[in-house]
Amino acid sequence: MEKNRINEVLQRNVQLLSKQTETELAMMPAGTAPLPSVEEVRRIVSLSKDIIFTDYFHKRQSNEQMRSYHIGVSMEELYELLCRQVARGLQFCEDCADGDVLASAEDIALRFLDQLPEVKRLLYTDVEAMFVSDPAATNYGEVIYCYPVMNTMTHFRLAHVLHEMQVPVIPRIITELAHSRTGIDIHPGAHIGEYFAIDHGTGVVIGETTIIGSHVTLYQGVTLGAKSFKYDANGNMLNIPRHPIIEDYVTIYSNASILGRITIGHHSVVGGNIWVTHDVPPYSRIQQSKAVDYSFSGGLGI
């Protein structure tokens, strides 16, 4: 192919793509400051894992002083990255004044670090729940290293802290990093109690306003979703509670869909492949109707 034609095509399209369209400008936050970096957000999660599961994702240290040193180094880097990425995320907040963004980001980063001990505690309850509920798990290390739920819940519990602090964009990036890797889609706004387990996990969806109690177990393909949406007088969709409430000690089996702002009472079991759109009282057992076998002879009865 002629060199002149190659250069012509390259230059023409570079020129066209360099111009920001009205649609593009309308979707961008004001100003020229850098936008969030997915790679740096991924590093934030990695550092958090190094801190929370130190012996698993960092060099194992038998000496507490050495552990303290390595965690301190990771914590310093984590703080710097959080300040930068949270500040970039706050550009998407229309109510945040430009002069306050950096100070707000620093405050949020410090409050996030203060939450890490509680995040660690919750994640170790999740490890325990998964180990106890799956006979295929031979030890806790296998759960921490290999089970998709631990990757997902580490991302979720970190993202949920930032979401509760009303940080835009960054929490969604964190949970979507796990979603793309595990197939488990949990919105950072969901509330999930301790000792939470998802066996297998692929295809699980948990919506933004879902509330899940403690000692809850889900299986693959479970959807905790919305049944319908409400709109204001101008036709804009309202962000109101629209996802289920799952009380303590509930088990939901594969491919069940629990839809709408309904409550699944504590100590209930929901069977697989069921569509539930109504409240379920405590200690319930919900399952499909048994199949009925009809015998036909010579086409009769069809």
Side-chain angles (χ1 to χ4, degrees), residues 21-52:
T21 65
E22 291 184 8
T23 301
E24 185 178 358
L25 289 170
M27 293 182 180
M28 292 281 286
T32 58
L35 296 179
S37 163
V38 173
E39 288 307 312
E40 287 201 359
V41 173
R42 184 179 281 110
R43 178 61 178 161
I44 286 170
V45 176
S46 178
L47 286 167
S48 299
K49 290 177 73 173
D50 286 350
I51 293 167
I52 292 168

Side-chain angles (χ1 to χ4, degrees), residues 117-130:
E118 175 62 8
V119 170
K120 177 179 179 177
R121 186 192 72 80
L122 288 169
L123 285 170
Y124 273 93
T125 70
D126 298 334
V127 174
E128 178 71 20
M130 195 65 253

Side-chain angles (χ1 to χ4, degrees), residues 60-256:
R60 191 172 187 180
Q61 301 289 344
S62 59
N63 184 296
E64 185 174 341
Q65 188 174 3
M66 289 301 297
R67 282 167 57 89
S68 177
Y69 169 77
H70 286 293
I71 289 174
V73 171
S74 296
M75 195 84 79
E76 287 185 6
E77 183 183 354
L78 177 60
Y79 172 73
E80 294 296 328
L81 289 174
L82 274 169
C83 288
R84 182 158 61 243
Q85 292 308 312
V86 168
R88 294 181 182 186
L90 288 174
Q91 294 179 85
F92 293 88
C93 172
E94 296 180 359
D95 298 328
C96 298
D98 290 341
D100 296 333
V101 167
L102 183 56
S104 296
E106 291 172 344
D107 177 66
I108 288 168
L110 289 175
R111 288 192 286 136
F112 177 90
L113 297 183
D114 274 337
Q115 290 297 311
L116 280 181
E118 175 62 8
V119 170
K120 177 179 179 177
R121 186 192 72 80
L122 288 169
L123 285 170
Y124 273 93
T125 70
D126 298 334
V127 174
E128 178 71 20
M130 195 65 253
F131 178 77
V132 168
S133 67
D134 186 7
T138 58
N139 55 70
Y140 293 111
E142 185 178 1
V143 174
I144 292 170
Y145 280 127
C146 308
Y147 278 53
V149 64
M150 291 315 304
N151 186 294
T152 299
M153 290 307 295
T154 301
H155 283 73
F156 165 76
R157 294 206 185 275
L158 295 170
H160 181 71
V161 171
L162 294 173
H163 184 274
E164 291 291 283
M165 296 177 185
Q166 299 183 325
V167 176
V169 180
I170 305 301
R172 291 300 301 273
I173 294 176
I174 292 173
T175 53
E176 287 305 314
L177 287 172
H179 179 199
S180 63
R181 185 172 181 178
T182 66
I184 302 172
D185 181 5
I186 308 179
H187 192 285
H191 287 77
I192 301 178
E194 59 189 13
Y195 295 97
F196 180 66
I198 306 177
D199 201 3
H200 304 294
T202 306
V204 167
V205 176
I206 300 176
E208 177 188 13
T209 61
T210 302
I211 299 174
I212 298 175
S214 298
H215 299 276
V216 170
T217 299
L218 310 182
Y219 286 78
Q220 67 272 16
V222 168
T223 296
L224 304 179
K227 182 173 66 174
S228 59
F229 303 98
K230 294 186 177 181
Y231 301 84
D232 63 18
N234 299 318
N236 298 313
M237 194 177 294
L238 295 172
N239 188 6
I240 60 175
R242 59 197 180 277
H243 300 101
I245 298 171
I246 311 298
E247 294 185 344
D248 297 346
Y249 294 96
V250 169
T251 298
I252 305 176
Y253 283 96
S254 57
N255 298 311

